[in-house]
Amino acid sequence: MWDWQGKELKAKVLYSAKGLATQILISGEADYFLLDCGDGTTRDLSSTGLPWVDKLLAILITHDHPDHTGGIFSLLTFLRLRGRKRELFILTPDGNLTERVRFYRDLIFGGFPYEVEVKVVEEHLRFRFQDLVVQPFKAIHREKTEVFGTGGFKKAVGYLLCGKSGEKIAYTGDTGWYPGIDCYFKGVDLALIEATFDFPKGSERHLTVEQAKDLGKLSKHAILIHR
Ligand SMILES: [Zn+2]
């Protein structure tokens, strides 16, 4: 069922489509990690048949656009229903989410039977879990909509994940191309790369397929997503 299996780490793109949702499951030696948590994440995780309710340790959010975060509250509620006790971590570059998770937890009678710790990440500030070291890196991202035009820059990151054996996975999140982005993808075992645009439509929003392929060539294996 995995889309990629290394010696230690595994990855499954649960779902990824631009503007709709993106969620990717990463398995370490013992724990699971989610890269982004778009709409339908709980459904997608449940349909794997994996014991994710207890094994999921952290959700790594790249930016606070709904197609990357829209599934968080239904997931938190499902874990509550299933009686999870284990602490859950949410990493995000946008402190906004801290307040929203707190607000949502307080809305629910009795709160959650497990702790949720939201950690606001900064570029290059590493987080160490038992199975993974997580390093956020720079992403450049803004949206453009039919009605409101081009929006402001989001607080956005990509993630470089390093397993105990040194195996590496790099994930762009949503980002335009910038000089230096390639350094995070050189030699990694798996690259998960957004490839939103068929043709260039402004470098501050997304990568083109061609740019994504160029990044992918630097890695040992690449999966293009967010199409
Ligand atoms: Zn986005």
Side-chain angles (χ1 to χ4, degrees):
M1 70 142 259
W2 298 98
D3 294 314
W4 175 85
Q5 291 194 56
K7 291 191 189 97
E8 176 195 354
L9 305 176
K10 297 175 203 163
K12 166 83 179 164
V13 180
L14 296 167
Y15 187 84
S16 185
K18 59 185 171 187
L20 279 173
T22 289
Q23 44 259 15
I24 302 157
L25 180 63
I26 303 295
S27 174
E29 231 172 41
D31 295 320
Y32 291 161
F33 301 82
L34 263 178
L35 294 172
D36 284 325
C37 188
D39 199 20
T41 298
T42 307
R43 174 203 59 207
D44 295 343
L45 282 168
S46 296
S47 66
T48 63
L50 294 167
W52 66 274
V53 168
D54 292 311
K55 287 183 68 148
L56 180 64
L57 180 59
I59 304 172
L60 316 181
I61 298 295
T62 57
H63 65 295
D64 194 3
H65 271 154
D67 54 331
H68 294 253
T69 57
I72 285 182
F73 297 109
S74 50
L75 189 147
L76 294 179
T77 307
F78 187 79
L79 294 179
R80 178 180 185 270
L81 285 171
R82 294 290 297 269
R84 179 187 168 107
K85 297 280 191 317
R86 190 181 184 199
E87 185 172 18
L88 179 74
F89 295 90
I90 301 176
L91 272 56
T92 171
D94 197 332
N96 231 322
L97 199 57
T98 315
E99 285 309 309
R100 281 161 53 208
V101 167
R102 201 172 293 152
F103 178 72
Y104 183 73
R105 185 195 58 201
D106 295 344
L107 270 181
I108 291 184
F109 178 72
F112 300 142
Y114 57 94
E115 292 292 322
V116 183
E117 189 170 343
V118 183
K119 291 175 175 286
V120 180
V121 302
E122 288 171 35
E123 288 163 30
H124 302 298
L125 199 65
R126 291 178 187 181
F127 284 87
R128 191 174 293 274
F129 296 100
Q130 187 77 16
D131 283 0
L132 274 188
V133 175
V134 175
Q135 183 192 325
F137 61 84
K138 175 178 166 179
I140 296 176
H141 185 48
R142 63 204 303 187
E143 68 173 354
K144 188 176 180 187
T145 64
E146 303 266 333
V147 175
F148 300 106
T150 303
F153 285 100
K154 296 296 291 180
K155 290 175 181 167
V157 295
Y159 286 105
L160 183 60
L161 314 177
C162 185
K164 285 182 193 167
S165 63
E167 208 159 55
K168 287 196 174 94
I169 296 177
Y171 171 41
T172 53
D174 284 6
T175 187
W177 183 275
Y178 62 86
I181 190 173
D182 49 335
C183 75
Y184 301 106
F185 291 82
K186 276 180 194 155
V188 296
D189 298 279
L190 173 66
L192 295 156
I193 308 169
E194 74 116 300
T196 307
F197 293 148
D198 290 330
F199 305 101
K201 290 185 188 175
S203 59
E204 297 169 334
R205 291 161 57 203
H206 290 290
L207 298 175
T208 61
V209 176
E210 203 175 317
Q211 288 170 330
K213 283 183 178 167
D214 284 345
L215 271 188
K217 282 177 198 155
L218 303 173
S219 66
K220 293 176 189 158
H221 186 79
I223 301 176
L224 303 195
I225 58 169
H226 208 265
R227 300 276 303 128

